[in-house]
Amino acid sequence: MSKDKQFKGRAIVTYGRSLMALTAAHSLYYNDVEVIGCDDVDMTVLSFSRHVADNFVHAPYEENPEQYLDDLEENIKKFKPNDDRPYVLVPMFRDAKLLARHQDRFKGLIDFALPPQDALQAAETKDAFAATAEKYNLPVPITYSFENVEALKKAEKKLTMPLLIKPKDGVGGRGIHKYNDFDELVVGFNKNTKEFGHAPLIQTVAPGEDYCLSVMCNHGEVVAHMAYTNIYRFPYESGAGIMRETIDDHPFLESAQTLMKKLKWHGVAQFDYMWTGDPKDTPIMIEVNARFWAGLFHCVESGVDYPWLYYQLAAFGKIDQSKINVDLGARTKVPGLWALSAIQDIADSDIHFDKLKEGWIKIWDDQPEPLMEKFKIMKEALGETFSISDLSKQLSEMSEKGRSARSELDLDNEPFLGLGAMFVFSSLLKHGKLPPELK
């Protein structure tokens, strides 16, 4: 960080291990806000960023929330500016829920923009969100909640497959699975219950593809908004998006505005929708995240600088909407992961790589046919389900999508960014276990 740079404010950015936090740090730094990073481990992405002035370590917010709050308060006092510059707390991940419930504790020490506690309770888990959306007649999947597997089995005749199993408070697609068979659903229910410590939700499958709508609210009024779709996800069936494209958000905005107004929401939120893309069909609301989201970099690159808008809202009570200019069609990617997801998508497509494997084995078996005859056998095994031209076309399309997307990892701008992965070792040393992202 340049020692000559003059800062007009200061912010504490949490969850310093994440690319979301790095996006926020860049946004604030280039808007003349000094950034202090923090996490429950050291050697994070923010600790190696040249755009961050300092870092501190606190207790894990999930395992030891009281100590986390104590540590945070201590460091908020420590880093408070000596003058009247704005001073803002920017929670980047699930700690936002804890801080929203305890926001009275930090009033007067630091500024923030967090939803009211009753609003948070109405939307913070998947089951609460589904109930709230139904209350206000918003479009959501049919949702079932069973206390145990015995109750699920009793309801078999009432259920129509396929169905989704979802943990009530999961993130990033973790624990979400689709089942076409009831017996497999029961097995998945038991497995999910054991993994997450509570019975999961069961939902009908909404048709179409997934879309994301992000919003910034000022006491219930949506003051900034944009939408994008995930071209690729990792894992590609239900994971977080790792290549995104900005789209028109009008199909989703009305239902989101209704919910935000009813809840008098304050701060940021991100909605997941399923939609066929047909204007005649209504997009189905899947869930809302009461925090910043994995596609934050994409939003900033598309013209909606949410970290800077959040800072303005927290510090001044309003935002400058004149600088918002959504770039429809903009694409971004997380390098490496997007390619893995794209390749997996191709492997599971109609090219049928299982057929390719069968044909390959037949070429090199011990039968006496000449080599050309073996290739003929392979072609017959594949039938019309595979062609080199089909594969080449898909690989070419994948490469073209990648070339047109801006990378979320800019090593020219952040030469030591790769060292941020060392938070994994820091977690092992400090807590004796891997961080949740790798479990």
Side-chain angles (χ1 to χ4, degrees), residues 95-120:
D95 55 338
K97 298 178 182 180
L98 176 63
L99 292 170
R101 290 194 290 270
H102 294 272
Q103 52 188 291
D104 287 346
R105 176 172 179 170
F106 298 99
K107 286 182 178 178
L109 297 177
I110 196 167
D111 295 322
F112 43 80
L114 297 169
Q117 292 189 48
D118 55 349
L120 186 67

PDB file of all heavy atoms in Angstrom, residues 95-120:
ATOM      1  N   ASP A  95     -20.814 -14.260   8.938  1.00  0.00           N
ATOM      2  CA  ASP A  95     -20.727 -13.479  10.169  1.00  0.00           C
ATOM      3  C   ASP A  95     -21.674 -12.287  10.139  1.00  0.00           C
ATOM      4  O   ASP A  95     -22.003 -11.723  11.192  1.00  0.00           O
ATOM      5  CB  ASP A  95     -19.288 -13.012  10.402  1.00  0.00           C
ATOM      6  CG  ASP A  95     -18.709 -12.241   9.226  1.00  0.00           C
ATOM      7  OD1 ASP A  95     -19.213 -12.403   8.101  1.00  0.00           O
ATOM      8  OD2 ASP A  95     -17.739 -11.501   9.433  1.00  0.00           O
ATOM      9  N   ALA A  96     -22.164 -11.901   8.948  1.00  0.00           N
ATOM     10  CA  ALA A  96     -23.118 -10.799   8.841  1.00  0.00           C
ATOM     11  C   ALA A  96     -24.384 -11.089   9.644  1.00  0.00           C
ATOM     12  O   ALA A  96     -24.986 -10.176  10.234  1.00  0.00           O
ATOM     13  CB  ALA A  96     -23.465 -10.550   7.377  1.00  0.00           C
ATOM     14  N   LYS A  97     -24.794 -12.350   9.696  1.00  0.00           N
ATOM     15  CA  LYS A  97     -26.000 -12.715  10.456  1.00  0.00           C
ATOM     16  C   LYS A  97     -25.780 -12.500  11.942  1.00  0.00           C
ATOM     17  O   LYS A  97     -26.655 -11.965  12.646  1.00  0.00           O
ATOM     18  CB  LYS A  97     -26.367 -14.169  10.165  1.00  0.00           C
ATOM     19  CG  LYS A  97     -26.704 -14.461   8.715  1.00  0.00           C
ATOM     20  CD  LYS A  97     -27.011 -15.933   8.511  1.00  0.00           C
ATOM     21  CE  LYS A  97     -27.292 -16.245   7.054  1.00  0.00           C
ATOM     22  NZ  LYS A  97     -27.599 -17.686   6.840  1.00  0.00           N
ATOM     23  N   LEU A  98     -24.643 -12.930  12.444  1.00  0.00           N
ATOM     24  CA  LEU A  98     -24.331 -12.756  13.861  1.00  0.00           C
ATOM     25  C   LEU A  98     -24.244 -11.271  14.207  1.00  0.00           C
ATOM     26  O   LEU A  98     -24.783 -10.822  15.233  1.00  0.00           O
ATOM     27  CB  LEU A  98     -23.020 -13.464  14.195  1.00  0.00           C
ATOM     28  CG  LEU A  98     -22.500 -13.309  15.627  1.00  0.00           C
ATOM     29  CD1 LEU A  98     -23.482 -13.924  16.617  1.00  0.00           C
ATOM     30  CD2 LEU A  98     -21.123 -13.968  15.771  1.00  0.00           C
ATOM     31  N   LEU A  99     -23.597 -10.502  13.354  1.00  0.00           N
ATOM     32  CA  LEU A  99     -23.436  -9.080  13.608  1.00  0.00           C
ATOM     33  C   LEU A  99     -24.774  -8.344  13.527  1.00  0.00           C
ATOM     34  O   LEU A  99     -25.017  -7.395  14.283  1.00  0.00           O
ATOM     35  CB  LEU A  99     -22.438  -8.484  12.631  1.00  0.00           C
ATOM     36  CG  LEU A  99     -20.999  -8.970  12.837  1.00  0.00           C
ATOM     37  CD1 LEU A  99     -20.117  -8.528  11.680  1.00  0.00           C
ATOM     38  CD2 LEU A  99     -20.438  -8.447  14.152  1.00  0.00           C
ATOM     39  N   ALA A 100     -25.660  -8.786  12.636  1.00  0.00           N
ATOM     40  CA  ALA A 100     -26.985  -8.169  12.550  1.00  0.00           C
ATOM     41  C   ALA A 100     -27.762  -8.382  13.839  1.00  0.00           C
ATOM     42  O   ALA A 100     -28.515  -7.500  14.280  1.00  0.00           O
ATOM     43  CB  ALA A 100     -27.752  -8.742  11.361  1.00  0.00           C
ATOM     44  N   ARG A 101     -27.584  -9.541  14.457  1.00  0.00           N
ATOM     45  CA  ARG A 101     -28.289  -9.827  15.710  1.00  0.00           C
ATOM     46  C   ARG A 101     -27.699  -9.045  16.887  1.00  0.00           C
ATOM     47  O   ARG A 101     -28.363  -8.871  17.905  1.00  0.00           O
ATOM     48  CB  ARG A 101     -28.255 -11.329  16.000  1.00  0.00           C
ATOM     49  CG  ARG A 101     -29.111 -12.157  15.059  1.00  0.00           C
ATOM     50  CD  ARG A 101     -29.319 -13.560  15.592  1.00  0.00           C
ATOM     51  NE  ARG A 101     -28.095 -14.340  15.534  1.00  0.00           N
ATOM     52  CZ  ARG A 101     -27.742 -15.090  14.492  1.00  0.00           C
ATOM     53  NH1 ARG A 101     -28.516 -15.125  13.420  1.00  0.00           N
ATOM     54  NH2 ARG A 101     -26.625 -15.789  14.512  1.00  0.00           N
ATOM     55  N   HIS A 102     -26.450  -8.591  16.735  1.00  0.00           N
ATOM     56  CA  HIS A 102     -25.784  -7.879  17.831  1.00  0.00           C
ATOM     57  C   HIS A 102     -25.376  -6.463  17.420  1.00  0.00           C
ATOM     58  O   HIS A 102     -24.446  -5.896  18.004  1.00  0.00           O
ATOM     59  CB  HIS A 102     -24.546  -8.666  18.273  1.00  0.00           C
ATOM     60  CG  HIS A 102     -24.866  -9.988  18.904  1.00  0.00           C
ATOM     61  ND1 HIS A 102     -25.120 -10.133  20.250  1.00  0.00           N
ATOM     62  CD2 HIS A 102     -24.992 -11.226  18.362  1.00  0.00           C
ATOM     63  CE1 HIS A 102     -25.379 -11.410  20.524  1.00  0.00           C
ATOM     64  NE2 HIS A 102     -25.303 -12.085  19.387  1.00  0.00           N
ATOM     65  N   GLN A 103     -26.077  -5.895  16.474  1.00  0.00           N
ATOM     66  CA  GLN A 103     -25.643  -4.595  15.952  1.00  0.00           C
ATOM     67  C   GLN A 103     -25.735  -3.475  16.984  1.00  0.00           C
ATOM     68  O   GLN A 103     -24.981  -2.496  16.908  1.00  0.00           O
ATOM     69  CB  GLN A 103     -26.406  -4.237  14.677  1.00  0.00           C
ATOM     70  CG  GLN A 103     -27.903  -4.310  14.745  1.00  0.00           C
ATOM     71  CD  GLN A 103     -28.538  -4.128  13.367  1.00  0.00           C
ATOM     72  OE1 GLN A 103     -28.492  -3.038  12.787  1.00  0.00           O
ATOM     73  NE2 GLN A 103     -29.106  -5.198  12.834  1.00  0.00           N
ATOM     74  N   ASP A 104     -26.626  -3.603  17.966  1.00  0.00           N
ATOM     75  CA  ASP A 104     -26.718  -2.565  18.997  1.00  0.00           C
ATOM     76  C   ASP A 104     -25.402  -2.426  19.764  1.00  0.00           C
ATOM     77  O   ASP A 104     -25.070  -1.335  20.245  1.00  0.00           O
ATOM     78  CB  ASP A 104     -27.847  -2.878  19.978  1.00  0.00           C
ATOM     79  CG  ASP A 104     -29.226  -2.659  19.362  1.00  0.00           C
ATOM     80  OD1 ASP A 104     -29.285  -2.013  18.293  1.00  0.00           O
ATOM     81  OD2 ASP A 104     -30.216  -3.137  19.925  1.00  0.00           O
ATOM     82  N   ARG A 105     -24.674  -3.545  19.874  1.00  0.00           N
ATOM     83  CA  ARG A 105     -23.412  -3.532  20.615  1.00  0.00           C
ATOM     84  C   ARG A 105     -22.374  -2.613  19.970  1.00  0.00           C
ATOM     85  O   ARG A 105     -21.497  -2.069  20.671  1.00  0.00           O
ATOM     86  CB  ARG A 105     -22.881  -4.960  20.703  1.00  0.00           C
ATOM     87  CG  ARG A 105     -21.518  -5.089  21.357  1.00  0.00           C
ATOM     88  CD  ARG A 105     -21.170  -6.539  21.576  1.00  0.00           C
ATOM     89  NE  ARG A 105     -19.848  -6.684  22.185  1.00  0.00           N
ATOM     90  CZ  ARG A 105     -19.359  -7.836  22.661  1.00  0.00           C
ATOM     91  NH1 ARG A 105     -20.101  -8.926  22.617  1.00  0.00           N
ATOM     92  NH2 ARG A 105     -18.154  -7.890  23.191  1.00  0.00           N
ATOM     93  N   PHE A 106     -22.461  -2.430  18.652  1.00  0.00           N
ATOM     94  CA  PHE A 106     -21.411  -1.695  17.943  1.00  0.00           C
ATOM     95  C   PHE A 106     -21.835  -0.285  17.526  1.00  0.00           C
ATOM     96  O   PHE A 106     -21.043   0.422  16.914  1.00  0.00           O
ATOM     97  CB  PHE A 106     -20.976  -2.494  16.721  1.00  0.00           C
ATOM     98  CG  PHE A 106     -20.390  -3.837  17.066  1.00  0.00           C
ATOM     99  CD1 PHE A 106     -21.160  -4.990  16.986  1.00  0.00           C
ATOM    100  CD2 PHE A 106     -19.082  -3.946  17.504  1.00  0.00           C
ATOM    101  CE1 PHE A 106     -20.636  -6.229  17.321  1.00  0.00           C
ATOM    102  CE2 PHE A 106     -18.540  -5.175  17.837  1.00  0.00           C
ATOM    103  CZ  PHE A 106     -19.323  -6.320  17.753  1.00  0.00           C
ATOM    104  N   LYS A 107     -23.060   0.092  17.841  1.00  0.00           N
ATOM    105  CA  LYS A 107     -23.498   1.447  17.509  1.00  0.00           C
ATOM    106  C   LYS A 107     -22.664   2.461  18.282  1.00  0.00           C
ATOM    107  O   LYS A 107     -22.462   2.337  19.481  1.00  0.00           O
ATOM    108  CB  LYS A 107     -24.980   1.610  17.824  1.00  0.00           C
ATOM    109  CG  LYS A 107     -25.900   0.903  16.841  1.00  0.00           C
ATOM    110  CD  LYS A 107     -27.364   1.126  17.166  1.00  0.00           C
ATOM    111  CE  LYS A 107     -28.254   0.444  16.130  1.00  0.00           C
ATOM    112  NZ  LYS A 107     -29.699   0.602  16.445  1.00  0.00           N
ATOM    113  N   GLY A 108     -22.192   3.479  17.588  1.00  0.00           N
ATOM    114  CA  GLY A 108     -21.346   4.489  18.195  1.00  0.00           C
ATOM    115  C   GLY A 108     -19.868   4.180  18.083  1.00  0.00           C
ATOM    116  O   GLY A 108     -19.028   5.078  18.207  1.00  0.00           O
ATOM    117  N   LEU A 109     -19.538   2.897  17.839  1.00  0.00           N
ATOM    118  CA  LEU A 109     -18.141   2.506  17.661  1.00  0.00           C
ATOM    119  C   LEU A 109     -17.733   2.495  16.190  1.00  0.00           C
ATOM    120  O   LEU A 109     -16.603   2.836  15.846  1.00  0.00           O
ATOM    121  CB  LEU A 109     -17.893   1.116  18.252  1.00  0.00           C
ATOM    122  CG  LEU A 109     -18.083   0.951  19.759  1.00  0.00           C
ATOM    123  CD1 LEU A 109     -17.872  -0.510  20.158  1.00  0.00           C
ATOM    124  CD2 LEU A 109     -17.115   1.859  20.511  1.00  0.00           C
ATOM    125  N   ILE A 110     -18.677   2.080  15.327  1.00  0.00           N
ATOM    126  CA  ILE A 110     -18.401   1.928  13.906  1.00  0.00           C
ATOM    127  C   ILE A 110     -19.735   1.914  13.175  1.00  0.00           C
ATOM    128  O   ILE A 110     -20.774   1.555  13.753  1.00  0.00           O
ATOM    129  CB  ILE A 110     -17.596   0.635  13.639  1.00  0.00           C
ATOM    130  CG1 ILE A 110     -16.970   0.644  12.242  1.00  0.00           C
ATOM    131  CG2 ILE A 110     -18.449  -0.600  13.864  1.00  0.00           C
ATOM    132  CD1 ILE A 110     -15.905  -0.448  12.040  1.00  0.00           C
ATOM    133  N   ASP A 111     -19.746   2.307  11.917  1.00  0.00           N
ATOM    134  CA  ASP A 111     -20.983   2.321  11.127  1.00  0.00           C
ATOM    135  C   ASP A 111     -21.123   1.030  10.326  1.00  0.00           C
ATOM    136  O   ASP A 111     -20.133   0.377   9.981  1.00  0.00           O
ATOM    137  CB  ASP A 111     -20.996   3.523  10.180  1.00  0.00           C
ATOM    138  CG  ASP A 111     -21.029   4.844  10.918  1.00  0.00           C
ATOM    139  OD1 ASP A 111     -21.726   4.921  11.957  1.00  0.00           O
ATOM    140  OD2 ASP A 111     -20.357   5.799  10.476  1.00  0.00           O
ATOM    141  N   PHE A 112     -22.361   0.668   9.983  1.00  0.00           N
ATOM    142  CA  PHE A 112     -22.645  -0.543   9.214  1.00  0.00           C
ATOM    143  C   PHE A 112     -24.036  -0.414   8.605  1.00  0.00           C
ATOM    144  O   PHE A 112     -24.809   0.488   8.957  1.00  0.00           O
ATOM    145  CB  PHE A 112     -22.561  -1.788  10.101  1.00  0.00           C
ATOM    146  CG  PHE A 112     -23.197  -1.618  11.451  1.00  0.00           C
ATOM    147  CD1 PHE A 112     -24.570  -1.711  11.622  1.00  0.00           C
ATOM    148  CD2 PHE A 112     -22.406  -1.330  12.562  1.00  0.00           C
ATOM    149  CE1 PHE A 112     -25.153  -1.528  12.859  1.00  0.00           C
ATOM    150  CE2 PHE A 112     -22.985  -1.142  13.810  1.00  0.00           C
ATOM    151  CZ  PHE A 112     -24.363  -1.244  13.965  1.00  0.00           C
ATOM    152  N   ALA A 113     -24.373  -1.305   7.672  1.00  0.00           N
ATOM    153  CA  ALA A 113     -25.696  -1.333   7.039  1.00  0.00           C
ATOM    154  C   ALA A 113     -26.169  -2.782   7.036  1.00  0.00           C
ATOM    155  O   ALA A 113     -25.861  -3.551   6.119  1.00  0.00           O
ATOM    156  CB  ALA A 113     -25.628  -0.777   5.620  1.00  0.00           C
ATOM    157  N   LEU A 114     -26.918  -3.168   8.064  1.00  0.00           N
ATOM    158  CA  LEU A 114     -27.359  -4.543   8.259  1.00  0.00           C
ATOM    159  C   LEU A 114     -28.869  -4.592   8.427  1.00  0.00           C
ATOM    160  O   LEU A 114     -29.469  -3.642   8.938  1.00  0.00           O
ATOM    161  CB  LEU A 114     -26.673  -5.148   9.487  1.00  0.00           C
ATOM    162  CG  LEU A 114     -25.151  -5.269   9.410  1.00  0.00           C
ATOM    163  CD1 LEU A 114     -24.565  -5.631  10.760  1.00  0.00           C
ATOM    164  CD2 LEU A 114     -24.764  -6.324   8.364  1.00  0.00           C
ATOM    165  N   PRO A 115     -29.503  -5.692   8.027  1.00  0.00           N
ATOM    166  CA  PRO A 115     -30.967  -5.793   8.122  1.00  0.00           C
ATOM    167  C   PRO A 115     -31.437  -5.889   9.572  1.00  0.00           C
ATOM    168  O   PRO A 115     -30.685  -6.332  10.449  1.00  0.00           O
ATOM    169  CB  PRO A 115     -31.276  -7.080   7.361  1.00  0.00           C
ATOM    170  CG  PRO A 115     -30.026  -7.882   7.433  1.00  0.00           C
ATOM    171  CD  PRO A 115     -28.906  -6.897   7.430  1.00  0.00           C
ATOM    172  N   PRO A 116     -32.680  -5.474   9.851  1.00  0.00           N
ATOM    173  CA  PRO A 116     -33.245  -5.642  11.191  1.00  0.00           C
ATOM    174  C   PRO A 116     -33.296  -7.117  11.573  1.00  0.00           C
ATOM    175  O   PRO A 116     -33.366  -7.991  10.702  1.00  0.00           O
ATOM    176  CB  PRO A 116     -34.659  -5.058  11.063  1.00  0.00           C
ATOM    177  CG  PRO A 116     -34.650  -4.242   9.814  1.00  0.00           C
ATOM    178  CD  PRO A 116     -33.624  -4.852   8.921  1.00  0.00           C
ATOM    179  N   GLN A 117     -33.291  -7.407  12.861  1.00  0.00           N
ATOM    180  CA  GLN A 117     -33.266  -8.790  13.319  1.00  0.00           C
ATOM    181  C   GLN A 117     -34.487  -9.574  12.849  1.00  0.00           C
ATOM    182  O   GLN A 117     -34.375 -10.741  12.460  1.00  0.00           O
ATOM    183  CB  GLN A 117     -33.175  -8.833  14.849  1.00  0.00           C
ATOM    184  CG  GLN A 117     -31.840  -8.332  15.390  1.00  0.00           C
ATOM    185  CD  GLN A 117     -31.696  -8.581  16.879  1.00  0.00           C
ATOM    186  OE1 GLN A 117     -31.955  -9.676  17.358  1.00  0.00           O
ATOM    187  NE2 GLN A 117     -31.282  -7.552  17.606  1.00  0.00           N
ATOM    188  N   ASP A 118     -35.677  -8.959  12.876  1.00  0.00           N
ATOM    189  CA  ASP A 118     -36.869  -9.691  12.455  1.00  0.00           C
ATOM    190  C   ASP A 118     -36.844  -9.999  10.963  1.00  0.00           C
ATOM    191  O   ASP A 118     -37.309 -11.052  10.514  1.00  0.00           O
ATOM    192  CB  ASP A 118     -38.145  -8.925  12.827  1.00  0.00           C
ATOM    193  CG  ASP A 118     -38.165  -7.506  12.268  1.00  0.00           C
ATOM    194  OD1 ASP A 118     -37.126  -7.034  11.764  1.00  0.00           O
ATOM    195  OD2 ASP A 118     -39.226  -6.865  12.339  1.00  0.00           O
ATOM    196  N   ALA A 119     -36.244  -9.091  10.179  1.00  0.00           N
ATOM    197  CA  ALA A 119     -36.095  -9.345   8.739  1.00  0.00           C
ATOM    198  C   ALA A 119     -35.138 -10.496   8.497  1.00  0.00           C
ATOM    199  O   ALA A 119     -35.369 -11.360   7.648  1.00  0.00           O
ATOM    200  CB  ALA A 119     -35.603  -8.088   8.030  1.00  0.00           C
ATOM    201  N   LEU A 120     -34.061 -10.504   9.257  1.00  0.00           N
ATOM    202  CA  LEU A 120     -33.074 -11.575   9.127  1.00  0.00           C
ATOM    203  C   LEU A 120     -33.687 -12.929   9.477  1.00  0.00           C
ATOM    204  O   LEU A 120     -33.496 -13.912   8.755  1.00  0.00           O
ATOM    205  CB  LEU A 120     -31.882 -11.288  10.030  1.00  0.00           C
ATOM    206  CG  LEU A 120     -30.689 -12.230   9.915  1.00  0.00           C
ATOM    207  CD1 LEU A 120     -30.035 -12.071   8.552  1.00  0.00           C
ATOM    208  CD2 LEU A 120     -29.680 -11.963  11.018  1.00  0.00           C
TER     209      LEU A 120
END
